[in-house]
Amino acid sequence: MVLGRLFARSESAAPALADYNNEGNGSTIDTSVVAVEVEASGSPSSATVRGDSTLNEPLLEGFKDRGELPSLPESNASLSFPEESAPWWRKFFAFMGLGFLISVGYMDPGNWATDLAAGSSFGYTLLFVVLCSSLCAMFLQYLSLKLGIASDRDLAQACRDAYHPHVNKLLWVVAEAAIAATDLAEVVGCAIAFNLLLGIPLWAGVLITAADVIILLVAEARSFRFLEILVGALTALISACFIYELVKAQPDMGKVMRGYLPSKEIITNKDMLYLATGILGATVMPHNLYLHSSVIQTRAYPRTTAGRTIAIKLGLVDSTLSLLVAFVINSSILIVAAAAFHYATPPLEDIADITDAYELLASSLGSKAASILFGVALLAAGQNSTITGTLSGQIVMEGFLSFKMRPWLRRIITRGAAIVPAATVAAVMGREGVSQLLVLSQVILSLTLPFAVFPLVHFTSSRKYLGNFANRWYASVIAWLLFLFISALNVNLVVQSAISGSFGGLGHRRAAV
């Protein structure tokens, strides 16, 4: 009923929905798209028709309209959207699944190390930081989906159509570095999982991850919806594994709930603040902002003012619910680490890495299944994140460069860029080297994040670019403050990492085995 009331106002003011051609699979879009110059109520006040290709008028005045293909052209508007008279729950179901593609970036192997260290070192205190990080993620992902829906551009295309070519080259290089770092973390995470579960050498586990490209291609060949279902199933598997872990850990729920409240100790304790900064700095993934602004357009919602308004609301609900799942999983990792290690007798407060946690879980929780399911969840998280990471690589390259490459070739290049250094380091330096690679990937992500957040906040805060879909003044203030906050945290994190030779204090941690 709440969702029904949420969309009721938009549906009642949908005079242009009939202009949308929703026949067949919903992939045909009427080219007579109106500009999003609307009154505050959401009804059109003027209509700049783009149906005449000779006019080639931009949808929004701030962007150049080069008449190029839409984002992910093979999937754009490929999933049907119910007609105007359909009940709200059918429209919501049409958007379900997209959020899971986004949420996996917030539970990837790169986040596991900080969550494990936070729980083992400081108990439940840093759950408040996990909560704050999740709220920041929800807000930024909302801005990302709104940009894609309101402008018919993903973040990379928006940058290309608004900024100077030299600026775009810089943003493209930084985005590619972020995606390479993301893919590196996923490759390392999967390799560690194969090593823990099957005893496969780390270098061999790295090579096995090349199969991810085949998995993604097969999934996309079926349909984009099938890809979403695959990711959703892996997310459900991760959730199930940690539900079991939580039951076995038997945490003190009173202490857990208090952990979500702010604590002065987070600021006064230097080590705790350092690790909290690591959690915040590594949570929001740059590639997710590019990804969300693109995949939201796979739905064949009406490309009209009313249709976009409904799509933004549906996308917000789907994204928020999915990120709540990621928040629960990240919280679970920290809670399990705190219950199994920090509050153990004797306490084990110096968990060095994921491998140490895996090896100690069985004895701490009294069950070999706990360790096995931990490894299974890690593998599922790595597989999930590699799927979305390679997809983001295609979006960034096509968006910034307008350069079309066969998806399978692009994904082989992306995966090869991660596999070669990971396999080399694993073969030469072993476990310690692989752990350092995981740390390095997170530092790179910290450095690149502001370069994605700035244009996102810039576009969504400006009526020049989004018309009346632009943020209200208070949302813009929050967005800019969040950009400054994230940038300051990441700069501080990288500086402190350079000084200490570690990331979030993780580099020097060693388990008391």
Side-chain angles (χ1 to χ4, degrees):
M1 292 302 293
V2 174
L3 289 175
R5 289 194 296 271
L6 178 63
F7 304 128
R9 183 180 174 211
S10 300
E11 293 174 5
S12 64
L17 289 181
D19 295 336
Y20 178 71
N21 184 349
N22 194 33
E23 297 176 358
N25 65 357
S27 59
T28 303
I29 302 175
D30 190 339
T31 56
S32 298
V33 181
V34 298
V36 286
E37 279 295 321
V38 296
E39 301 291 347
S41 65
S43 58
S45 61
S46 65
T48 304
V49 179
R50 301 177 67 196
D52 183 355
S53 59
T54 61
L55 296 177
N56 197 30
E57 293 182 350
L59 178 65
L60 296 163
E61 62 175 298
F63 293 114
K64 302 171 187 175
D65 187 359
R66 300 172 181 171
E68 296 173 351
L69 291 174
S71 183
L72 288 179
E74 65 273 15
S75 302
N76 193 279
S78 62
L79 298 177
S80 62
F81 190 79
E83 59 187 13
E84 176 188 359
S85 59
W88 66 265
W89 59 267
R90 284 190 57 198
K91 296 175 183 178
F92 176 64
F93 180 77
F95 271 78
M96 283 184 63
L98 275 175
F100 286 126
L101 288 176
I102 307 305
S103 67
V104 297
Y106 296 95
M107 58 180 96
D108 76 320
N111 286 333
W112 284 45
T114 51
D115 289 334
L116 287 169
S120 63
S121 299
F122 304 111
Y124 307 121
T125 306
L126 291 179
L127 282 173
F128 173 72
V129 180
V130 175
L131 174 61
C132 291
S133 300
S134 299
L135 292 175
C136 291
M138 291 174 189
F139 183 67
L140 289 175
Q141 295 301 155
Y142 163 66
L143 297 185
S144 178
L145 70 90
K146 183 165 71 168
L147 172 67
I149 292 171
S151 70
D152 286 336
R153 291 165 172 83
D154 59 53
L155 180 57
Q157 290 175 324
C159 291
R160 188 192 68 216
D161 290 347
Y163 295 151
H164 190 279
H166 293 327
V167 174
N168 283 318
K169 288 179 181 177
L170 172 63
L171 293 177
W172 171 65
V173 170
V174 172
E176 291 287 3
I179 290 170
T182 300
D183 210 39
L184 182 62
E186 321 319 351
V187 166
V188 169
C190 287
I192 293 174
F194 283 128
N195 175 257
L196 297 178
L197 293 171
L198 304 175
I200 296 175
L202 286 172
W203 64 267
V206 168
L207 297 179
I208 292 174
T209 61
D212 291 331
V213 177
I214 300 174
I215 294 173
L216 181 58
L217 291 174
V218 170
E220 275 197 303
R222 295 286 299 272
S223 73
F224 201 85
R225 192 61 156 174
F226 180 80
L227 180 64
E228 294 172 359
I229 293 172
L230 174 61
V231 170
L234 289 172
T235 303
L237 176 60
I238 299 170
S239 301
C241 290
F242 275 104
I243 289 174
Y244 176 85
E245 303 278 355
L246 285 172
V247 171
K248 293 297 294 182
Q250 297 181 334
D252 184 328
M253 295 309 297
K255 291 183 179 180
V256 169
M257 292 298 102
R258 287 193 292 274
Y260 287 113
L261 299 176
S263 170
K264 182 175 66 174
E265 191 180 5
I266 297 176
I267 304 298
T268 57
N269 185 316
K270 182 180 178 181
D271 292 336
M272 192 178 295
L273 176 61
Y274 193 32
L275 189 52
T277 305
I279 294 173
L280 282 166
T283 294
V284 181
M285 294 291 183
H287 77 280
N288 260 356
L289 304 179
Y290 292 99
L291 178 66
H292 207 172
S293 60
S294 175
V295 297
I296 195 71
Q297 299 177 57
T298 59
R299 271 41 182 184
Y301 52 84
R303 264 56 172 181
T304 61
T305 296
R308 295 178 204 276
T309 301
I310 295 172
I312 289 172
K313 291 182 178 181
L314 291 167
L316 172 61
V317 175
D318 173 63
S319 173
T320 301
L321 291 177
S322 299
L323 288 175
L324 279 174
V325 174
F327 162 67
V328 170
I329 290 175
N330 277 321
S331 294
S332 299
I333 298 172
L334 191 151
I335 293 170
V336 168
F341 306 131
H342 184 79
Y343 297 110
T345 305
L348 302 171
E349 298 183 354
D350 292 315
I351 300 301
D353 52 32
I354 293 172
T355 303
D356 287 330
Y358 174 86
E359 293 172 349
L360 291 169
L361 270 177
S363 58
S364 297
L365 300 184
S367 172
K368 180 62 176 176
S371 287
I372 294 175
L373 290 178
F374 180 85
V376 169
L378 174 62
L379 180 60
Q383 293 292 334
N384 246 350
S385 298
T386 52
I387 290 174
T388 58
T390 50
L391 192 60
S392 300
Q394 178 185 346
I395 292 166
V396 164
M397 176 174 282
E398 292 180 355
F400 275 113
L401 305 182
S402 190
F403 178 73
K404 307 300 177 185
M405 180 183 290
R406 293 185 181 276
W408 64 267
L409 180 58
R410 165 68 209 194
R411 280 153 200 161
I412 288 177
I413 292 174
T414 301
R415 181 43 48 88
I419 285 178
V420 172
T424 302
V425 170
V428 175
M429 300 178 65
R431 169 180 156 183
E432 183 177 353
V434 167
S435 296
Q436 290 176 353
L437 264 185
L438 192 60
V439 167
L440 176 63
S441 71
Q442 300 306 292
V443 173
I444 294 174
L445 286 172
S446 296
L447 280 169
T448 59
L449 180 57
F451 291 87
V453 175
F454 178 86
L456 177 65
V457 175
H458 176 211
F459 293 137
T460 56
S461 298
S462 172
R463 292 176 65 88
K464 175 182 177 181
Y465 293 107
L466 289 199
N468 280 356
F469 284 112
N471 300 331
R472 303 201 174 201
W473 70 267
Y474 53 84
S476 294
V477 170
I478 294 173
W480 283 116
L481 289 176
L482 184 57
F483 163 72
L484 294 174
F485 180 63
I486 289 175
S487 299
L489 282 176
N490 281 283
V491 169
N492 176 67
L493 178 64
V494 173
V495 170
Q496 294 300 322
S497 297
I499 294 174
S500 66
S502 65
F503 181 76
L506 300 179
H508 299 309
R509 294 182 183 275
R510 290 294 175 264
V513 180

